[in-house]
Amino acid sequence: MTSAIESFGFHQLAGWLCGDAGRSRISPGDRLLWWLSEKGTGSWAEFRKAYAWVTANDGDAVKAWIAARELQDLGHVEFAWEHGLSWSAAPPVLTLLPSSGGLAYLTGARTRSLVEALNENEAFDFYPATVSQGPQGPHGVFLLFGSPHEAEELARSLGIEYTFSIAEVLVGVLPQLADMMEQGEPSPFRIGFDKERFEPETLFWREATEPEGDLAPGLYRMRTWGRTEYRFLSATRKIVSCQPESAFYESLRYARRQILRYEAETKMLVVPAAARLPSLQARAATLSSGLLPKPVRTGGQLELRYENVSPRVAEAILLSLSQAG
Amino acid sequence: MTYAEWNEALAERFFPAGSANAPTYLAVSEDVLSNIGAPTAAEDLSRVVRERYLTPGGSLSGKRIREDLRWRPGGSPIPPYLGLLGLCVLAASQMASDAEAGIRSSNYYFHVNRLLGLDAISGAPSGFEELGSLWKDLDRWLRESGGDRGESTVSTHRTQVYIGYPMSQAIFPVRDRRRLPDFFVSAGLEPGQKVSSAELLTHLRRWAGPGSGLRELTMRRIADPDWEEMVSGIVLAEFSSWDGALRDASGRRRAEIALNVFVSAGGRRCEVYYVPKQPEGFPDEVTAGDLHLVSAGGGWYQPLPEHLVPDALARGVSLVSADGARSFSFEPRTIIPLHQSFNAGLGGWISVRRIHLHDPLRIVVHHERLAVIQEYLDRAGRDGTPRSAEGLPPGWLLLVDALVTSALAGPARGDPDLERILPRLATTMSFDGGLALESDCYLRGEEPVIHLGLEEPGVFYLDGESQELAAGGLSLPLSEIKPGLGHHRIGLGEMARRFVVSGGDAGPVPEGAGSLSFVMERHGSKVQPRALDPLPVQGAPSRGNVWVTGASIRGSEVDDPLGFALPLLLRRGHETVLVGHRPGELMESEEPPRPSWLDRIGPHAGSQFYEATCPFPAAFALYGSGVDCRVEALETPEGWDSLAPSANPKTTSGNLEADLAWARAIFGASNASVIPRSAAGHWNSLVELAFDILVASGG
């Protein structure tokens, strides 16, 4: 393909992975993703230590958690937060991005052997590019093709999976809010710990000092033994454990409040940072472009802007979280 | 008791069947004897031994000893000389109680003569040299039992051979042996780890100081070069059989209670928890005193309720389980170093017995010790900043940003609390960080930093290169040394460690990839999550299940969940007409603006192509017109064969105007170059058909 697109440092990334170049432009996320990919599986403690190593900090748990979520949203790795806190790399997948003019995103594990094979491949006509995902994140690897068939055949030759628009596929299997909330186990409030309630009107947390019988239905959190536990108090006074991402939206459903905004003209899905999307919804939105959402502060509120989200993907995400008008 | 009863009682006490390979000792002492017999048991044992073995002339009977050596054919399951050897060990234990005693034979014979009713200062009893054969026979018997009666620890001294045997059984009294697991933990040793007796002794001598819990005499023996061979042999035997568990003074399995501190606001606020460890074999729920401990997973119990452990920092906590089999303890200290915890369930900072050089450090310290600790840290590293942290009991401070960078021992010696911030060893070599694929195997360029600490000058080596180092602390980033791919050996003095550097050997799809998946159950067009989190999965999803791992979706029902038609990629910057295989199939394509989000990828992304959808199977794109016209096949020629039956070029659309437009577009580009060349044949057939249509219409 006779393209004028620049290679944005992909060859440098490949050179570093193969030991032929230094890591002057390599991000902590590149190093972390390489390790995750070569190791395949591991524990949360191992991840935190690796994160502390590549970022040269003393292992801040919150920052490590954010990095983990971003890697998960980009489809590189899965974290089982509740089941022994382990992780496994995801299989590599080449997915063609819609409305991109032939751009494919390489997600999942990114081992040295895969990047090397890509770098040395001369049988197919594509241009690779790396794109920064912020100072800490892994560079995104994008391949520009002149034909979607080329992308599929390249993936086959590399022994990895291929799909056209993984976002469109993912929204076909998105869990619905009601089903997500059904996963909660009955679990009383922790005695002796202060409670805070998520206020759907303001998206802030407010201290809840009322006796338990007077508490309003909604999402509560308690800070216990160095961690935060979440409970959802239903309208029928059932208290269940929950993941905050889905419970935010259940609270918003109770309050009949819609906070997700889709701008069809720019194909942008706007999500308040205070109400992060659940995992698969966030992944569908992120993999619409292969880019992490752009954080933008507007009117005192931080928003996450997901780009290139097709109307169908946006509608499915909104519907799954009871946010459709 | 008769001699035979004593012999049997000692066998039952020290060599019971079913000892499962644990190191075993004929550790006779007055305390142990009084537990077996009456308070005057030592005298009683002395009496029966004298009656059996002492000749009227005051010698040990060589004839009796030789008879004892022939005990096996008699059918007895236990050797008959345990009473005699036990008495010899009793003498050794009495000698070991003598604070000033060295391993001089006269000290030993004084005690053994006294027990045998002989002149205390008469030297070795006559016939005492015969006992060596009994000790060897005891060793043989224990080995023959295959570990069922325990692992033999019978050994002797290189020069004091005869008294070395009983000393080997008495040198480490049971109470002190129960402290050895604490030493193993403190030295960072893991069960099953390969370690030499010399290395173990170096570690042990560093640990066996005030605060170790060892008796003063045992500490002296450990430091004494005369005893080192025996000491290191015993400690190595104990370490080889260690399963990772700690013991309390009563022999119960013991778990430590750790101080777990969550620090915020730069150390001005903290939350303090007392968290019992849950070692392997400890049940998930334990009642201990007023407390009911419940497992939190990950090797820990839930923290103790604060109101039930008041003033624990100063007074400590000691709990015994209701069944008496286990205990939990938090030892009160005035200086408590904390280490960053990466444990999933724990997080925050966790108390440690000893620190490593260069470890990020927080220290909970009683205000009366602040000056002492800061003075020490000022010399050994960085003295940190004291904070009166909200959340700590009155009188306690949190020292943040402290660091120990050298193994400066002097000022801390003899202060058991201050010793906790002394690195574990006089000579230390620790690996810090790195990206490890497995134990001691690191990715290339991501090798760890090696922290070296030396109280005295020493030799450091990496593979074939060695270097003399001065006393003090030193950090070596291995990645800067670039050790190269493969196996390496690194050492400091007697310590050696191996590591491997890997360039990443996983294939394109690494082992274990996809082993955690979101699992959905499909019910018609709906999917229902099995859990909110990814679950461990193996193999392939069963029918009706869908697994989502990253961007990989598995499950037969989702092979083509939406029936996508791939979009066409068309070149920007041209007037573009799409034509199909059949007359009438024609569409002018309108180029959309380049999406602005592509700017984040780069200025050229999406600048060449745009996507279009077409209501018919598009065969060719006609770019431009006239002499600049170019024809590009939109599908691979192989794909056309499968299209042929439904896209017979001879079929007309029935709409003459549409057919003519199609024919004119194709005929107008009939002289254009065709890409790829392999599509030229098909293009020419369309040109012929277009010509026919135009001729038929008179055009």
Side-chain angles (χ1 to χ4, degrees), chain A residues 1-6 8 16-19 23 31 34-35 37-41 44-45 48-50 52-54 58-59 72 75 78-83 85-93 97-103 107 109 111-114 131 142 145-149 158-162 164 166 168-170 172-175 179-180 182-183 190 223-227 243 246 279-280 283 287 289 291-292 294 307-308 312, chain B residues 260 262 271 273 275 296 300-303 340-349 360 362 432-438 443-449 479 502-518 520 522 525-536 546 548-554 558 561-562 564-569 571 595-598 600-606 608-611 634-636:
Chain A
M1 189 174 66
T2 53
S3 169
I5 192 169
E6 293 172 3
F8 302 124
W16 163 70
L17 281 169
C18 299
R23 63 178 190 215
R31 296 163 62 199
W34 183 34
W35 173 76
S37 302
E38 299 289 349
K39 190 164 166 55
T41 59
W44 174 244
R48 275 192 62 195
K49 284 180 187 169
W53 171 254
V54 298
D58 60 8
Q72 196 168 12
E78 293 291 4
F79 284 86
W81 301 105
E82 300 294 331
H83 300 276
L85 263 171
S86 54
W87 57 265
S88 82
V93 175
L97 300 170
S99 308
S100 69
L103 209 55
T107 178
T111 62
R112 177 193 55 76
S113 64
L114 176 61
V131 176
F142 294 84
F145 292 91
S147 153
H149 300 285
L158 293 171
I160 66 173
E161 294 177 42
Y162 165 84
F164 172 71
I166 185 61
E168 300 275 353
V169 184
L170 273 172
V173 293
L174 282 187
D179 294 331
M180 288 192 274
E182 262 183 34
Q183 297 295 323
R190 286 292 204 99
R223 187 161 171 76
T224 68
W225 188 26
R227 64 180 112 182
Q243 281 190 343
S246 45
S279 285
L280 289 179
R283 188 173 306 168
L287 291 181
S289 65
L291 297 169
L292 289 170
K294 207 159 46 175
E307 293 178 291
N308 196 38
R312 185 178 171 278
Chain B
N260 187 199
F262 291 85
E271 296 168 37
Y273 299 92
V275 191
W300 297 88
Y301 288 102
Q302 297 278 2
Q340 173 97 51
S341 169
F342 291 104
N343 185 290
L346 221 53
W349 297 78
R362 303 280 187 273
D432 181 13
L435 293 182
L437 297 176
E438 53 192 90
L443 280 176
R444 174 191 17 80
E446 303 291 355
E447 300 88 354
V449 174
S479 58
S502 167
D505 299 327
V509 184
E511 201 174 318
S515 56
L516 287 172
S517 284
F518 285 96
M520 321 278 185
R522 188 177 275 279
S525 61
K526 274 193 68 183
V527 292
Q528 201 155 17
R530 179 89 60 79
L532 287 179
D533 247 5
L535 299 171
V546 179
V548 180
T549 310
S552 169
I553 303 185
R554 287 178 283 172
V558 291
L562 301 169
F564 288 121
L566 288 178
L568 300 168
L569 283 179
R571 294 183 185 278
S596 60
W597 72 273
L598 289 170
R600 287 180 67 189
I601 311 292
H604 302 292
Q608 281 197 305
F609 300 98
Y610 65 93
E611 283 158 40
L634 293 172
E635 295 189 34
T636 56

Side-chain angles (χ1 to χ4, degrees), chain A residues 36-324:
Chain A
L36 292 163
S37 302
E38 299 289 349
K39 190 164 166 55
T41 59
S43 67
W44 174 244
E46 287 173 316
F47 178 84
R48 275 192 62 195
K49 284 180 187 169
Y51 177 79
W53 171 254
V54 298
T55 57
N57 75 16
D58 60 8
D60 183 291
V62 175
K63 287 179 184 164
W65 181 84
I66 292 169
R69 275 298 304 249
E70 289 181 352
L71 285 164
Q72 196 168 12
D73 290 351
L74 287 164
H76 292 302
V77 67
E78 293 291 4
F79 284 86
W81 301 105
E82 300 294 331
H83 300 276
L85 263 171
S86 54
W87 57 265
S88 82
V93 175
L94 192 62
T95 181
L96 206 61
L97 300 170
S99 308
S100 69
L103 209 55
Y105 179 66
L106 179 65
T107 178
R110 215 159 71 188
T111 62
R112 177 193 55 76
S113 64
L114 176 61
V115 174
E116 192 175 13
L118 207 49
N119 194 42
E120 292 175 355
N121 192 296
E122 291 180 350
F124 295 92
D125 201 7
F126 65 93
Y127 269 80
T130 57
V131 176
S132 171
Q133 300 268 25
Q136 301 281 311
H139 281 83
V141 169
F142 294 84
L143 309 178
L144 183 54
F145 292 91
S147 153
H149 300 285
E150 286 270 306
E152 187 167 6
E153 284 162 25
L154 172 68
R156 195 178 298 126
S157 80
L158 293 171
I160 66 173
E161 294 177 42
Y162 165 84
T163 184
F164 172 71
S165 184
I166 185 61
E168 300 275 353
V169 184
L170 273 172
V171 295
V173 293
L174 282 187
Q176 304 299 300
L177 185 58
D179 294 331
M180 288 192 274
M181 291 306 295
E182 262 183 34
Q183 297 295 323
E185 297 284 334
S187 188
F189 290 116
R190 286 292 204 99
I191 296 167
F193 293 99
D194 294 337
K195 287 185 281 292
E196 290 179 300
R197 182 175 186 272
F198 176 70
E199 297 292 309
E201 295 77 19
T202 60
L203 307 186
F204 284 113
W205 293 89
R206 172 189 64 80
E207 196 175 356
T209 52
E210 305 92 316
E212 190 171 316
D214 296 341
L215 291 173
L219 173 61
Y220 291 83
R221 72 178 178 188
M222 293 155 292
R223 187 161 171 76
T224 68
W225 188 26
R227 64 180 112 182
T228 305
E229 292 188 16
Y230 295 87
R231 300 284 187 276
F232 194 84
L233 174 62
S234 74
T236 56
R237 311 301 297 173
K238 267 180 21 185
I239 306 167
V240 294
S241 60
C242 60
Q243 281 190 343
E245 289 85 353
S246 45
F248 285 138
Y249 289 94
E250 183 71 344
S251 287
L252 292 161
R253 187 179 73 85
Y254 272 43
R256 298 173 191 277
R257 179 142 193 252
Q258 283 162 20
I259 58 163
L260 297 185
R261 195 171 80 242
Y262 182 62
E263 296 173 2
E265 199 174 314
T266 54
K267 292 189 173 177
M268 189 181 291
L269 179 65
V270 183
V271 178
R276 288 181 60 99
L277 295 173
S279 285
L280 289 179
Q281 280 81 355
R283 188 173 306 168
T286 305
L287 291 181
S288 290
S289 65
L291 297 169
L292 289 170
K294 207 159 46 175
V296 176
R297 191 166 287 282
T298 54
Q301 196 179 59
L302 190 66
E303 292 179 344
L304 301 176
R305 296 186 172 179
Y306 293 91
E307 293 178 291
N308 196 38
V309 180
S310 74
R312 185 178 171 278
V313 170
E315 186 187 7
I317 291 173
L318 266 60
L319 275 172
S320 72
L321 299 175
S322 297
Q323 286 282 302

